[in-house]
Amino acid sequence: MRVLVVVHGYPPHALGGTELHAEALVNALQAAGEDLVVLTREQDQNRPDYAVREERRNGTRIVWINNTFRAARSFADTYRNEAIGRI
């Protein structure tokens, strides 16, 4: 099975409950032999917004989208973003 895990942050950059739960889920699914991709956000003021980078960690592909919310003008802009939708 192919599984996409979408989470607003991911370790080691984010270590809250949701992020740790997502990492534990990824580890369990990976141990079960599933094909995984994690799509997550990072916030690096030194890189352009919406820059994408990828890494492999323990066989899992992690795709990071840089989003500093510099372009957000309203609360809705923080969750409804056409640029991220295109990515």
Side-chain angles (χ1 to χ4, degrees), residues 1 18 65 71 86:
M1 177 171 40
T18 301
I65 300 175
R86 285 189 296 273

Side-chain angles (χ1 to χ4, degrees), residues 4-64:
L4 173 64
V5 176
V6 180
V7 62
H8 63 275
Y10 198 73
H13 305 298
L15 296 172
T18 301
E19 297 89 342
L20 295 175
H21 176 74
E23 182 182 46
L25 176 64
V26 165
N27 291 339
L29 289 168
Q30 184 182 40
E34 307 302 347
D35 181 17
L36 296 164
V37 175
V38 175
L39 176 63
T40 191
R41 172 189 168 262
E42 64 184 344
Q43 182 173 334
D44 184 343
Q45 299 292 336
N46 298 315
R47 294 179 54 233
D49 270 352
Y50 314 123
V52 176
R53 73 176 180 89
E54 295 186 27
E55 72 174 270
R56 281 218 172 256
R57 191 183 307 161
N58 301 323
T60 296
R61 182 175 161 220
I62 303 172
V63 179
W64 303 87

Side-chain angles (χ1 to χ4, degrees), residues 67-78:
N67 186 2
T68 63
F69 296 108
R70 283 184 275 235
R73 299 293 176 250
S74 68
F75 177 67
D77 288 347
T78 67

